[in-house]
Each structure stands twice: as structure tokens, then as C-alpha cells.
Amino acid sequence: MAVNRVAQREIIEVPYQLPDGEIKPHMALVLSTEKLQDAEDGMFYAVLISSKNLNPEFTMQIKNEWLSKPLSKKSYFVTHIVSYYRTDEVIQSFNNYVKADYFDAIMNKVILSMFDIELE
């Protein structure tokens, strides 16, 4: 599926490189705005989504009420794994979004996990 644009708060699938170098498709949540895509030829930042809760200190369980459509299995935002991608790397879009009311809490957890600070 060709994807020309992604939107902030959108859940997509991207090729994620595992620590052993293997690349596997993984869901991710788009964090950055479309303004960055426009300025940097399709570049965006996304946080990994996983069905495994390997480092609970750095994960956030995804609740179905946070989403426009529920996920098929229990999943987590892996808030310390943020990567950049280009729109031409997106494997697929699910037409699923985090509701605006919950996005700030997710962003705060990402910032806390990576930088040990909280936004007000």
C-alpha cells in the first residue's frame, strides 16, 4: 500500500529493526506533525507499538477507548523507542487514530521515558 502522508496520532505499520539486525513490520504511532513531513521530504517520528511488555517502566498499555478503532490484541506504546521514518517506508495505514484527549498523556510518557522530565 503506497502511503503519501501520515498524520499525527495515526497508527501505521513500519519496518522496525530489532537489536539483532532483523527487520520486522511493527505498528507505530505517529508523533510528529505534518509540518515536519513537508519540510523534510516525508520524514516523521513514530513510537513503537508492541504486544510485549518487556520494560514496564517504559511502556504504556493502550486502552481501546483511546483509539478510533480497537486493536485486535493487548498492546503497549514502547515509549523509549522513537524512530524516524519516511512516508515511503510505511507498510500500511490502518485508518486508526489516538483520540486527541489521550495524545498529550502519551507524549508526556515518551518525554519522561527518554529525558526524565514531565511537561505541564
Side-chain angles (χ1 to χ4, degrees), residues 88-112:
D88 60 5
E89 295 177 277
V90 175
I91 297 166
Q92 68 177 312
S93 171
F94 299 102
N95 195 30
N96 195 359
Y97 296 83
V98 168
K99 295 175 184 173
D101 294 348
Y102 302 102
F103 187 71
D104 286 346
I106 297 162
M107 285 295 289
N108 277 329
K109 177 69 173 176
V110 168
I111 292 165
L112 181 62

Side-chain angles (χ1 to χ4, degrees), residues 4-106:
N4 295 325
R5 285 184 87 63
V6 295
Q8 187 179 52
R9 301 186 294 113
E10 183 176 2
I11 294 175
I12 57 169
E13 186 175 53
V14 291
Y16 174 72
Q17 186 169 353
L18 301 170
D20 66 3
E22 182 181 7
I23 297 175
K24 286 191 168 183
H26 262 280
M27 291 173 64
L29 171 66
V30 177
L31 300 176
S32 54
T33 65
E34 291 181 42
K35 184 177 178 181
L36 178 60
Q37 287 175 70
D38 294 339
E40 289 293 337
D41 195 27
M43 179 182 155
F44 66 93
Y45 286 90
V47 65
L48 180 70
I49 294 174
S50 178
S51 61
K52 296 178 181 150
N53 189 14
L54 298 177
N55 293 300
E57 177 183 356
F58 301 113
T59 61
M60 186 176 205
Q61 185 176 345
I62 302 170
K63 302 197 184 316
N64 284 331
E65 61 265 19
W66 296 359
L67 308 175
S68 57
K69 296 189 292 191
L71 298 178
S72 61
K73 59 184 170 182
K74 189 178 200 178
S75 299
Y76 303 86
F77 294 117
V78 185
T79 58
H80 67 296
I81 301 181
V82 173
S83 300
Y84 74 88
Y85 297 93
R86 293 171 44 90
T87 52
D88 60 5
E89 295 177 277
V90 175
I91 297 166
Q92 68 177 312
S93 171
F94 299 102
N95 195 30
N96 195 359
Y97 296 83
V98 168
K99 295 175 184 173
D101 294 348
Y102 302 102
F103 187 71
D104 286 346
I106 297 162

